[in-house]
Protein backbone atom coordinates (compact mmCIF):
# COMPACT_ATOMS: atom_id res chain seq x y z
CA UNK A 1 0.00 0.00 0.00
CA UNK A 2 2.39 2.68 -1.26
CA UNK A 3 4.92 2.46 1.54
CA UNK A 4 2.52 2.15 4.49
CA UNK A 5 3.80 -0.69 6.69
CA UNK A 6 1.87 -0.03 9.92
CA UNK A 7 -1.71 0.04 8.73
CA UNK A 8 -4.67 1.23 10.78
CA UNK A 9 -7.06 -0.07 8.15
CA UNK A 10 -7.86 3.47 6.93
CA UNK A 11 -5.48 3.91 4.05
CA UNK A 12 -5.75 7.65 3.49
CA UNK A 13 -5.07 8.40 7.15
CA UNK A 14 -2.08 6.08 7.18
CA UNK A 15 -0.63 7.89 4.18
CA UNK A 16 -1.33 11.32 5.67
CA UNK A 17 0.45 10.19 8.85
CA UNK A 18 3.45 9.20 6.69
CA UNK A 19 3.59 12.70 5.22
CA UNK A 20 3.37 14.37 8.62
CA UNK A 21 5.97 12.00 10.03
CA UNK A 22 8.35 12.81 7.20
CA UNK A 23 7.95 16.54 7.83
CA UNK A 24 8.80 16.07 11.51
CA UNK A 25 12.45 15.91 10.37
CA UNK A 26 12.19 19.35 8.75
CA UNK A 27 11.20 21.08 5.49
CA UNK A 28 10.88 18.84 2.44
CA UNK A 29 10.35 19.29 -1.28
CA UNK A 30 7.86 17.04 -3.03
CA UNK A 31 10.73 14.84 -4.26
CA UNK A 32 12.04 14.51 -0.70
CA UNK A 33 8.55 13.63 0.56
CA UNK A 34 8.28 10.90 -2.06
CA UNK A 35 11.69 9.53 -1.09
CA UNK A 36 10.90 9.60 2.64
CA UNK A 37 7.40 8.10 2.45
CA UNK A 38 7.75 5.83 -0.61
CA UNK A 39 4.37 7.13 -1.73
CA UNK A 40 3.66 7.62 -5.41
CA UNK A 41 4.45 11.19 -6.44
CA UNK A 42 0.81 12.10 -7.31
CA UNK A 43 -0.36 10.60 -4.02
CA UNK A 44 2.24 12.48 -1.96
CA UNK A 45 1.39 15.74 -3.72
CA UNK A 46 -2.37 15.29 -3.31
CA UNK A 47 -2.05 14.52 0.41
CA UNK A 48 0.38 17.37 1.09
CA UNK A 49 -1.92 19.88 -0.63
CA UNK A 50 -4.96 18.53 1.24
CA UNK A 51 -3.11 18.79 4.56
CA UNK A 52 -2.08 22.33 3.60
CA UNK A 53 -5.75 23.21 3.09
CA UNK A 54 -6.42 22.23 6.71
CA UNK A 55 -3.28 24.11 7.92
CA UNK A 56 -1.69 20.87 9.12
CA UNK A 57 1.00 21.54 6.52
CA UNK A 58 2.25 24.86 5.15
CA UNK A 59 5.12 26.10 2.94
CA UNK A 60 8.31 27.91 3.82
CA UNK A 61 9.90 30.77 1.86
CA UNK A 62 11.49 28.26 -0.54
CA UNK A 63 8.15 26.59 -1.23
CA UNK A 64 9.05 23.46 0.72
CA UNK A 65 6.44 21.63 2.77
CA UNK A 66 6.67 22.11 6.55
CA UNK A 67 4.46 21.24 9.52
CA UNK A 68 1.61 23.76 9.80
CA UNK A 69 0.29 25.97 12.61
CA UNK A 70 -2.81 23.85 13.18
CA UNK A 71 -0.67 21.16 14.80
CA UNK A 72 0.59 23.67 17.38
CA UNK A 73 -2.97 24.79 18.07
CA UNK A 74 -4.07 21.21 18.66
CA UNK A 75 -1.08 20.61 20.91
CA UNK A 76 -1.96 23.72 22.92
CA UNK A 77 -5.59 22.58 23.22
CA UNK A 78 -4.39 19.23 24.56
CA UNK A 79 -2.63 21.11 27.38
CA UNK A 80 -5.56 23.39 28.08
CA UNK A 81 -6.43 21.90 31.48
CA UNK A 82 -2.93 22.66 32.76
CA UNK A 83 -3.21 26.21 31.46
CA UNK A 84 -6.58 26.76 33.12
CA UNK A 85 -5.70 25.22 36.48
CA UNK A 86 -2.39 27.08 36.59
CA UNK A 87 -4.05 30.38 35.74
CA UNK A 88 -6.57 30.56 38.58
CA UNK A 89 -4.25 31.67 41.42
CA UNK A 90 -2.70 34.25 39.10
CA UNK A 91 -6.10 35.54 37.94
CA UNK A 92 -7.25 35.89 41.54
CA UNK A 93 -4.07 37.73 42.55
CA UNK A 94 -4.38 40.04 39.54
CA UNK A 95 -8.03 40.76 40.36
CA UNK A 96 -7.16 41.55 43.97
CA UNK A 97 -4.27 43.79 42.94
CA UNK A 98 -6.09 45.78 40.26
CA UNK A 99 -9.58 45.57 41.80
CA UNK A 100 -10.90 44.63 38.32
CA UNK A 101 -12.27 41.39 36.87
CA UNK A 102 -9.57 39.15 35.34
CA UNK A 103 -9.97 36.69 32.46
CA UNK A 104 -7.97 34.23 30.38
CA UNK A 105 -8.77 33.91 26.68
CA UNK A 106 -7.81 31.27 24.12
CA UNK A 107 -8.34 31.62 20.38
CA UNK A 108 -10.69 29.05 18.85
CA UNK A 109 -11.18 29.53 15.12
CA UNK A 110 -12.56 32.98 14.44
CA UNK A 111 -13.46 33.64 18.09
CA UNK A 112 -11.70 34.05 21.40
CA UNK A 113 -13.16 32.06 24.26
CA UNK A 114 -12.99 32.88 27.96
CA UNK A 115 -11.55 29.73 29.56
CA UNK A 116 -11.03 31.06 33.10
CA UNK A 117 -12.02 34.14 35.09
CA UNK A 118 -11.88 35.79 38.50
CA UNK A 119 -14.77 38.22 38.86
CA UNK A 120 -14.70 41.42 40.86
CA UNK A 121 -16.84 40.66 43.88
CA UNK A 122 -18.47 44.04 44.50
CA UNK A 123 -19.44 47.12 42.51
CA UNK A 124 -19.61 47.60 38.76
CA UNK A 125 -17.82 44.93 36.75
CA UNK A 126 -17.47 43.62 33.22
CA UNK A 127 -18.83 40.10 33.64
CA UNK A 128 -17.55 37.62 31.05
CA UNK A 129 -18.63 34.06 31.89
CA UNK A 130 -16.36 31.09 31.26
CA UNK A 131 -17.22 29.65 27.85
CA UNK A 132 -18.26 33.01 26.37
CA UNK A 133 -17.12 33.34 22.74
CA UNK A 134 -16.17 36.90 21.83
CA UNK A 135 -15.09 38.49 18.58
CA UNK A 136 -11.50 38.51 17.31
CA UNK A 137 -12.20 41.87 15.65
CA UNK A 138 -12.26 44.03 18.79
CA UNK A 139 -10.91 44.16 22.32
CA UNK A 140 -7.45 44.06 23.87
CA UNK A 141 -7.37 40.25 24.16
CA UNK A 142 -8.11 39.95 20.44
CA UNK A 143 -5.22 42.34 19.74
CA UNK A 144 -2.84 40.21 21.80
CA UNK A 145 -3.97 36.93 20.25
CA UNK A 146 -3.50 38.35 16.75
CA UNK A 147 -0.39 40.53 17.20
CA UNK A 148 2.15 37.67 17.10
CA UNK A 149 0.42 35.62 14.39
CA UNK A 150 2.19 34.72 11.15
CA UNK A 151 1.90 37.56 8.58
CA UNK A 152 -0.77 36.01 6.36
CA UNK A 153 -3.08 35.17 9.25
CA UNK A 154 -2.43 38.56 10.86
CA UNK A 155 -3.36 40.35 7.63
CA UNK A 156 -6.54 38.30 7.33
CA UNK A 157 -7.45 38.99 10.96
CA UNK A 158 -7.16 42.74 10.45
CA UNK A 159 -9.91 42.77 7.83
CA UNK A 160 -12.92 44.43 9.45
CA UNK A 161 -11.14 44.81 12.80
CA UNK A 162 -11.47 47.82 15.11
CA UNK A 163 -7.66 47.98 15.43
CA UNK A 164 -4.91 48.49 12.85
CA UNK A 165 -1.56 46.95 11.94
CA UNK A 166 0.15 49.97 13.53
CA UNK A 167 -1.68 49.32 16.81
CA UNK A 168 -0.59 45.67 16.76
CA UNK A 169 2.99 46.76 16.14
CA UNK A 170 2.73 48.90 19.30
CA UNK A 171 1.33 45.89 21.18
CA UNK A 172 4.36 43.80 20.18
CA UNK A 173 6.74 46.60 21.17
CA UNK A 174 5.35 47.37 24.63
CA UNK A 175 4.03 43.87 25.49
CA UNK A 176 0.42 44.79 26.31
CA UNK A 177 -2.76 45.94 24.58
CA UNK A 178 -5.58 48.19 25.73
CA UNK A 179 -9.07 48.88 24.44
CA UNK A 180 -11.52 51.61 25.32
CA UNK A 181 -15.14 51.06 24.25
CA UNK A 182 -13.78 48.90 21.44
CA UNK A 183 -15.70 45.68 22.08
CA UNK A 184 -18.51 47.23 24.10
CA UNK A 185 -19.39 50.86 24.84
CA UNK A 186 -18.32 51.96 28.32
CA UNK A 187 -15.93 49.02 28.84
CA UNK A 188 -12.13 49.20 28.99
CA UNK A 189 -9.60 46.38 29.15
CA UNK A 190 -5.88 45.59 29.25
CA UNK A 191 -4.33 42.32 28.04
CA UNK A 192 -0.90 40.67 27.80
CA UNK A 193 0.32 37.49 26.09
CA UNK A 194 0.75 34.13 27.79
CA UNK A 195 3.39 32.01 26.07
CA UNK A 196 3.97 28.28 25.92
CA UNK A 197 7.31 26.59 26.43
CA UNK A 198 8.27 27.25 22.80
CA UNK A 199 7.66 31.00 23.21
CA UNK A 200 4.53 31.03 21.09
CA UNK A 201 1.52 33.04 22.30
CA UNK A 202 -1.13 30.57 23.46
CA UNK A 203 -3.50 32.80 25.45
CA UNK A 204 -4.26 36.35 26.53
CA UNK A 205 -4.50 37.36 30.19
CA UNK A 206 -6.82 40.33 30.70
CA UNK A 207 -8.52 42.64 33.11
CA UNK A 208 -11.67 44.55 32.21
CA UNK A 209 -14.04 46.97 33.83
CA UNK A 210 -16.14 50.10 33.39
CA UNK A 211 -14.52 52.95 31.52
CA UNK A 212 -15.47 55.39 34.27
CA UNK A 213 -13.23 53.49 36.68
CA UNK A 214 -10.41 52.29 34.39
CA UNK A 215 -10.04 55.55 32.45
CA UNK A 216 -9.15 56.22 28.81
CA UNK A 217 -5.52 55.08 29.19
CA UNK A 218 -5.97 51.88 31.22
CA UNK A 219 -2.72 50.41 29.92
CA UNK A 220 -0.64 53.13 31.53
CA UNK A 221 -2.10 52.27 34.92
CA UNK A 222 -2.51 48.50 34.68
CA UNK A 223 -0.20 47.40 31.86
CA UNK A 224 2.78 46.49 34.08
CA UNK A 225 0.66 44.43 36.48
CA UNK A 226 -1.06 42.52 33.66
CA UNK A 227 2.27 41.85 31.92
CA UNK A 228 3.82 40.64 35.17
CA UNK A 229 0.90 38.26 35.77
CA UNK A 230 1.04 36.92 32.21
CA UNK A 231 4.80 36.42 32.52
CA UNK A 232 4.36 34.49 35.77
CA UNK A 233 1.89 32.15 34.08
CA UNK A 234 4.19 31.74 31.06
CA UNK A 235 7.15 30.93 33.32
CA UNK A 236 5.11 28.38 35.28
CA UNK A 237 3.98 26.64 32.08
CA UNK A 238 7.52 26.60 30.69
CA UNK A 239 8.93 25.14 33.91
CA UNK A 240 6.18 22.52 34.08
CA UNK A 241 6.85 21.52 30.47
CA UNK A 242 10.59 21.17 31.07
CA UNK A 243 9.92 19.02 34.13
CA UNK A 244 7.42 16.91 32.19
CA UNK A 245 4.55 17.79 34.51
Amino acid sequence: MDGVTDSSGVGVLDKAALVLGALEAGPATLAQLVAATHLARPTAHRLAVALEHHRLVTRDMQGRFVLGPRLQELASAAGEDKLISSSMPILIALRDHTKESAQLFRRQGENRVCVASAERQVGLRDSIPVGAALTMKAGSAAQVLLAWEEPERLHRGLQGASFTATMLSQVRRRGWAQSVSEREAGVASVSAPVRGGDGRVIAALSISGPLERMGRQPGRVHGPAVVAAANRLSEFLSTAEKMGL
Side-chain angles (χ1 to χ4, degrees):
M1 190 172 58
D2 270 351
V4 180
T5 56
D6 185 13
S7 173
S8 68
V10 184
V12 67
L13 290 181
D14 291 336
K15 294 173 184 176
L18 276 177
V19 171
L20 294 173
L23 294 178
E24 185 178 1
T29 63
L30 178 57
Q32 290 169 330
L33 269 185
V34 170
T37 62
H38 304 292
L39 294 169
R41 187 181 181 90
T43 301
H45 182 262
R46 186 173 65 250
L47 285 170
V49 170
L51 290 167
E52 186 178 12
H53 175 77
H54 291 287
R55 300 175 58 247
L56 295 165
V57 166
T58 188
R59 313 263 187 137
D60 65 10
M61 296 297 290
Q62 287 75 46
R64 298 173 299 179
F65 294 104
V66 296
L67 293 176
R70 183 62 182 145
L71 291 170
Q72 293 178 324
E73 293 167 3
L74 291 170
S76 293
E80 184 174 13
D81 288 346
K82 186 188 301 297
L83 172 66
I84 294 172
S85 61
S86 303
S87 71
M88 283 312 301
I90 293 173
L91 286 171
I92 292 169
L94 182 61
R95 177 201 64 192
D96 292 347
H97 176 75
T98 63
K99 305 297 189 286
E100 301 294 349
S101 298
Q103 305 90 25
L104 183 70
F105 291 95
R106 292 285 304 269
R107 181 169 185 173
Q108 291 185 10
E110 297 307 309
N111 294 309
R112 53 185 171 98
V113 177
C114 179
V115 295
S117 70
E119 290 286 357
R120 192 174 192 269
Q121 297 176 331
V122 295
L124 289 172
R125 61 188 182 184
D126 178 36
S127 183
I128 302 174
V130 171
L134 305 181
T135 179
M136 278 292 295
K137 301 297 184 182
S140 64
Q143 294 177 40
V144 163
L145 292 171
L146 190 61
W148 283 272
E149 281 282 12
E150 56 195 39
E152 182 180 343
R153 202 173 188 202
L154 189 153
H155 178 72
R156 191 164 61 244
L158 283 170
Q159 296 174 9
S162 300
F163 41 81
T164 65
T166 299
M167 292 170 66
L168 295 189
S169 178
Q170 293 172 344
V171 171
R172 289 190 296 272
R173 176 175 52 79
R174 68 194 179 199
W176 52 262
Q178 68 177 8
S179 72
V180 176
S181 295
E182 190 175 290
R183 174 181 63 84
E184 182 179 342
V187 173
S189 67
V190 181
S191 299
V194 176
R195 299 178 184 274
D198 60 358
R200 192 174 56 86
V201 175
I202 59 172
L205 194 67
S206 308
I207 61 167
S208 60
L211 178 59
E212 63 187 59
R213 192 168 61 229
M214 292 189 67
R216 293 200 165 272
Q217 292 292 333
R220 291 183 180 177
V221 178
H222 298 296
V226 177
V227 169
N231 287 344
R232 281 198 300 275
L233 181 53
S234 299
E235 289 164 7
F236 181 88
L237 293 171
S238 178
T239 300
E241 183 177 316
K242 289 176 183 176
M243 296 177 65
L245 298 178

